[in-house]
Amino acid sequence: MDIVKDDLQSHQIKALLQEHLDDMYATSPAESVHALDIEALRQSNVEFWTAWNEQELLGCIALKALDSEHAEIKSMRTAHNARGKGVAKTLLNHLVSQASARGFSRLSLETGTEDYFTAARTLYSGHGFVECDPFADYVLDPNSVFMTKQL
């Protein structure tokens, strides 16, 4: 598996991100969806990586800088055909390493409370993330779980 910094131009990544947004809106109320669209992922405070097996896109993840010490995980997604193969774990480990290398001392995320997000919450808690209060511009939401990890 190769992880590369991605320019968000390929049709494969555009399709995976659209699938991600479609699933988020199908799972959670619109006001509780915090997934970024492709334009938001192109902002200067966001770094975006994709995982590949040759020409096959396996998944993606983004790091959004909130300030000089705090960053957020965004757009974590594994392609359907790659689920259960360790892609999410590999991408998460890569992002944590990148966040540490860039000097961030805290890494946080928002995910859903619905059963659909159980695997994500389990992955994050298994990697040292703990539940926390809302951060950045988030507010308490019965459909959101906020998690953080000191780096």
Side-chain angles (χ1 to χ4, degrees):
M1 180 182 325
D2 295 315
I3 298 175
V4 298
K5 193 167 181 182
D6 197 288
D7 64 5
L8 296 143
Q9 296 295 325
S10 77
H11 70 278
Q12 293 117 311
I13 194 55
K14 289 177 182 177
L16 185 64
L17 289 170
Q18 188 59 56
E19 177 185 288
H20 180 61
L21 287 170
D22 291 347
D23 279 354
M24 297 304 98
Y25 282 102
T27 305
S28 300
E31 65 274 9
S32 297
V33 174
H34 304 288
L36 300 179
D37 64 20
I38 200 159
E39 290 309 313
L41 289 167
R42 288 185 174 134
Q43 298 301 307
S44 62
N45 65 330
V46 178
E47 289 187 74
F48 187 83
W49 294 273
T50 48
W52 298 84
N53 179 15
E54 296 180 12
Q55 300 300 312
E56 179 186 12
L57 177 61
L58 303 176
C60 62
I61 196 166
L63 179 69
K64 179 181 179 183
L66 301 174
D67 60 40
S68 63
E69 296 180 3
H70 190 192
E72 180 181 6
I73 297 172
K74 298 299 292 181
S75 301
M76 174 86 155
R77 181 71 175 194
T78 301
H80 285 289
N81 60 332
R83 295 207 173 147
K85 297 180 181 177
V87 174
K89 179 180 176 180
T90 301
L91 281 167
L92 181 57
N93 287 335
H94 176 80
L95 185 129
V96 169
S97 174
Q98 293 292 318
S100 291
R102 284 160 175 71
F104 293 108
S105 59
R106 182 176 170 208
L107 187 57
S108 300
L109 64 98
E110 178 275 340
T111 191
T113 59
E114 296 90 348
D115 289 344
Y116 178 87
F117 299 101
T118 299
R121 292 189 308 268
T122 300
L123 173 72
Y124 295 130
S125 64
H127 282 80
F129 287 83
V130 295
E131 288 191 31
C132 65
D133 291 330
F135 58 92
D137 295 332
Y138 292 107
V139 297
L140 282 176
D141 180 341
N143 298 297
S144 290
V145 174
F146 304 96
M147 302 180 84
T148 196
K149 176 180 179 160
Q150 294 299 126
L151 302 177

